[in-house]
Amino acid sequence: MSQSVDAPRTAHTFTNDALGNDDATALAERIRNREVSVTEVTQAAIKRLQKADPLVHGVVAERYEQMLGAAATLDKEKSLSDTPFFTGVPTFIKDNTNVAGMPTRHGSQAVPPGHCVEHTSPFAQQMLAQGFLCLGKSTMPEFGFNASTEPVHDAPTRNPWNLAHSSGASSGGAAALVASGAVPIAHANDGGGSIRIPAACCGLVGLKPTRGRVIDNDAAKSLPINILSDGVVTRSVRDTANFMYQAERYFRNPKLPTIGKVDGPPTKQLRIGLVIDSINGHKTDDMTRQTVEATAQKLEAQGHIIEPVATPANSHFPDDFAMYWTMLAFGMKLNGRKITHSGFDKRKVDGLTEGLDKMFKRSFWKMPAVLWRLRRARSEYANALVGLDAVLTPTLGHTTPKLGHLTPKVPFAVLFDRLARYANFTPLANVTGSPALSIPTAMTPENLPISVQLMGKHGDERTLLELAFALESEYSPWAAPTSTRTASLA
């Protein structure tokens, strides 16, 4: 049956090869049991990437031949039973995180090409210690400042569900590659929603861990308030849960409660706060609102108590976070040579970075009060969650926009306003350091996922993962027949 003329063009590569429809957990088990070789899996991933990436553009650098060599070495092992859990599973690392022997350009033309770093970042070490084979680096917007992956110097990263639309950001390349089926799991990180936003756009599970849950990368250590967290985007809750379990076995922060092995829905009644509109005054669009309300009803039907609550933040928070965001752009322009590469050229930053830098320079005198209030946000958030186990919100203020809506080529004032209306629910968890998770629970008529966000108490990823398991049992776009995801790949 042929598609109608106006049907959305998709880029899903699921087929009957070594990867099949498996998530990372199932694939790792088949590799461990020798049902499929690591070489076969790696070859299949490369073939899928060669089909999908010309359409979605999620790869910024690759090392396919090197990983085929690593796969052949693994296949010579007598047994894989004692190897790390995800041994042989293909993945990608985001372009702001160092992998020795590969370039790190932070999605910016201001960072010169051709230079390969000599060391692997701490979190990348923690991730790769789980046995993943890193096939390359994934795309991102400049320095992770935007909520759509549309670099001015390169092709945009497109949403595999509908190629006319954004894949989100800043981990947009990671989300596009996982949602397209090229790899089952990929690295992502989050300074204001950059795990959860692309996960929401691409129908994936995206968990921003509690601050300090995983090993901090270098950039986090230099910030006055560490808003950065590393993690992954996946097609299944169990992949995210298993990833966190394995990461915790590599490094466990003694200041946080253990997550442990999470493998199903909660076994007790939970009290969940409900927030639908953002504190910044922008009303959530109707389709997203309906999705959150329907999700609340599903949780209520499962026996949980849903209670409408105020946003767990003070009224200054949106402006304060925006000010912190501008400070990051100012710092990047000022110290780009130290942060990225000695050849950094601040004249080549995009319009968003430039606009944020100028905004900071006009208002920098406000920073002492801004930092004071932002530091208080954690205790205010904790007080607001007394008596609650989690808070349910939209992940995004409206459904996924078309490419061009959030491009840095848009005049800065227009783009800034659009971002405030779109990415308005995710930053709170970054400032407070609390865990937050995005999970898809509906689809739009344009074949785009709509996701909700679950926010938890400091150190309580376990409750969020359990709730995600409960919601996944009610709805998952990946439970649909493969045929609905493969149309118009060519």
Side-chain angles (χ1 to χ4, degrees), residues 58-233:
V59 178
V60 72
E62 54 91 353
R63 55 175 190 176
Y64 300 161
E65 290 301 319
Q66 183 180 341
M67 288 302 97
L68 283 170
T73 299
L74 282 170
D75 285 332
K76 293 176 183 177
E77 294 284 338
K78 291 184 179 180
S79 172
L80 297 178
S81 59
D82 296 326
T83 56
F85 185 84
F86 287 111
T87 291
V89 174
T91 194
F92 274 75
I93 300 290
K94 187 174 171 181
D95 189 34
N96 61 359
T97 300
N98 289 344
V99 175
M102 298 200 74
T104 302
R105 296 193 65 197
H106 300 267
S108 176
Q109 64 179 343
V111 181
H115 173 74
C116 294
V117 300
E118 297 178 356
H119 73 281
T120 299
S121 296
F123 176 80
Q125 293 179 36
Q126 183 178 14
M127 180 172 178
L128 297 178
Q130 298 188 31
F132 294 107
L133 293 186
C134 174
L135 294 178
K137 304 291 286 290
S138 60
T139 56
M140 60 180 289
E142 183 168 276
F143 310 123
F145 292 152
N146 206 343
S148 186
T149 305
E150 302 181 48
V152 296
H153 64 289
D154 205 351
T157 300
R158 297 177 179 274
N159 194 314
W161 292 94
N162 187 327
L163 294 171
H165 288 254
S166 170
S167 67
S170 64
S171 309
L177 296 177
V178 174
S180 71
V183 293
I185 186 171
H187 167 238
N189 49 29
D190 195 318
S194 295
I195 294 173
R196 291 156 289 157
I197 292 169
C201 293
C202 294
L204 305 175
V205 180
L207 170 67
K208 185 208 81 68
T210 300
R211 181 184 297 143
R213 175 66 72 187
V214 299
I215 299 175
D216 284 337
N217 272 327
D218 299 333
K221 301 171 184 176
S222 62
L223 297 175
I225 299 173
N226 177 14
I227 62 173
L228 303 178
S229 291
D230 284 87
V232 291
V233 286

Side-chain angles (χ1 to χ4, degrees), residues 14-15 21 480-487:
F14 298 91
T15 189
N21 292 326
T482 304
S483 61
T484 65
R485 302 196 298 260
T486 57

Side-chain angles (χ1 to χ4, degrees), residues 12 24 93 114 148 173 179 229 240 258 260 301 313 345 360 400 412 422 427 451 462:
H12 291 293
I93 300 290
S148 186
S229 291
T240 297
T258 303
D345 187 348
F360 176 81
T400 304
F412 175 73
Y422 182 54
S451 298
R462 186 175 187 90

Side-chain angles (χ1 to χ4, degrees), residues 366-386:
K366 297 179 181 179
M367 279 308 297
V370 166
L371 291 174
W372 181 80
R373 286 192 296 268
L374 289 177
R375 289 189 176 110
R376 289 183 57 194
R378 178 178 170 181
S379 61
E380 292 170 346
Y381 176 84
N383 290 336
L385 262 70
V386 171

